[in-house]
Amino acid sequence: MSNRSRLHELIDSLPEAALAVAQGALENFQTWPPKPPAQLAAIEKANMDRMRRSMQPGTLGTGGGGGGHFMGPGGRIEYGHHSHSHWEDDAVVVTTHRYHAGHELVIEERMRLVDGGGGLTYSHCVTGPDATNDNRQITFDVSG
């Protein structure tokens, strides 16, 4: 059974490295139910706007998304991810925001058929917290 004494015992036994995440979780519980962080709402709104712009008249939208996160002190996302997909012309685009120790990576993946459907091109761009990015692309033969 949960009680304050047991919670104090658990907190006292935590390793130092876990204190920031535990503090964030407890601060997040001060308002119940917890509110999502502001930056997550902005990401979701931008993704929804992209999905709506990518929908073709007479088609169904396929802008799936999901994820989870752990809060740190001050409402900062410490760990977790959030992703969303949308269409840009003939490419499906999946944008994922990943968080580790409060640092965010943004991964944008694209997949599309090329060569009359005989090839599948996959590319991604990873952007780090300092705005450095890495781009890769590969095409797979899917004709067979």
Side-chain angles (χ1 to χ4, degrees), residues 113-120 140-144:
L113 292 174
V114 294
D115 301 327
L120 175 66
F140 301 94
D141 181 2
V142 293
S143 61

Side-chain angles (χ1 to χ4, degrees), residues 25-35:
L26 291 171
E27 286 177 355
N28 202 36
F29 290 134
Q30 294 299 307
T31 303
W32 193 258
K35 295 178 185 173

Side-chain angles (χ1 to χ4, degrees), residues 14-20:
L14 285 174
E16 289 295 315
L19 290 178

Side-chain angles (χ1 to χ4, degrees), residues 49-70:
D49 290 346
R50 271 191 227 104
M51 182 192 73
R52 285 189 181 116
R53 285 193 308 270
S54 74
M55 292 173 63
Q56 300 296 321
T59 64
L60 295 174
T62 58
H69 58 275
F70 296 98

Side-chain angles (χ1 to χ4, degrees), residues 56 87-93 111-114:
Q56 300 296 321
W87 285 92
E88 285 184 12
D89 299 320
D90 63 347
V92 66
V93 180
M111 290 180 282
R112 64 186 176 92
L113 292 174
V114 294

